[in-house]
Amino acid sequence: MKLRETLHLPLSAHSAAEMYADPDYTEIRRRTLGAAQASSTREGNPSGAFTVRTELSMPTDRVPDMVRPFVGSSVTIHEEQSWSAPEQDGSRQGTMHLDVVGTPAGLTATLRLSASGDSASTVEIDGDLVAKVPLLGPRLEKAAIPYVSTVLRAEERSAKTYRESAAS
């Protein structure tokens, strides 16, 4: 099922890339999302192309009821974001892969980080959420879209916290 989101970040495109590459940001995301655990690794440097792999252990208390039997009381999410080297204004292209461990569900998306002035940027997410469950797949995808969107939109709150912590 198609998923499109536009995130509005209170950071320049250059600073947003640095945020994504910063291991401290993983802890901020963990707190924002209410995850029990979070860890990340990075390959490359935010001055050029880089990839960040994150693992989050998330509670499922907010997932739709019809999804809960497939996931239990928590899920582990593996996320990989790969970003191109920046353009002159800091804009980048990227890809994102989310896999929900132990389930046939995942998200594959293209990303576009764009400058929105000196101290703001947007991330456009254009992806496909897939639940490979015979007969129920499309219904599960439709039920999961609002939850996935909420998780993605939490990025805006995490970015604001990151900006505030960097300023202090």
Side-chain angles (χ1 to χ4, degrees):
M1 176 161 281
K2 277 294 196 192
L3 173 79
R4 288 193 175 90
E5 290 289 340
T6 300
L7 308 179
H8 301 277
L9 305 180
L11 299 162
S12 69
H14 289 289
S15 295
E18 289 173 3
M19 173 189 74
Y20 285 127
D22 188 338
D24 291 340
Y25 183 63
T26 302
E27 176 58 21
I28 291 170
R29 284 182 73 201
R30 184 197 69 74
R31 289 191 314 262
T32 300
L33 293 169
Q37 295 180 316
S39 62
S40 66
T41 60
R42 181 186 81 207
E43 292 176 13
N45 189 292
S47 62
F50 68 98
T51 297
V52 176
R53 291 176 185 85
T54 304
E55 182 175 296
L56 295 160
S57 178
M58 302 275 297
T60 58
D61 56 338
R62 292 177 284 178
V63 300
D65 290 338
M66 88 174 290
V67 175
R68 210 165 284 139
F70 294 94
V71 294
S73 62
S74 69
V75 293
T76 298
I77 298 171
H78 288 164
E79 175 188 63
E80 180 177 292
Q81 287 188 11
S82 295
W83 292 99
S84 68
E87 297 172 20
Q88 186 70 19
D89 66 353
S91 298
R92 295 174 186 253
Q93 303 288 330
T95 59
M96 177 173 58
H97 300 280
L98 291 175
D99 292 309
V100 183
V101 176
T103 73
L107 172 70
T108 301
T110 59
L111 305 170
R112 173 80 180 144
L113 171 63
S114 301
S116 296
D118 292 338
S119 60
S121 57
T122 59
V123 177
E124 295 174 26
I125 302 167
D126 186 5
D128 290 302
L129 177 66
V130 177
K132 297 175 188 161
V133 179
L135 303 175
L136 290 176
R139 287 181 49 210
L140 289 172
E141 292 165 6
K142 187 174 181 177
I145 286 281
Y147 176 74
V148 173
S149 291
T150 298
V151 169
L152 293 173
R153 296 197 76 61
E155 197 87 10
E156 294 170 330
R157 292 192 314 277
S158 295
K160 182 179 178 199
T161 301
Y162 181 84
R163 182 194 68 202
E164 290 166 355
S165 69
S168 52

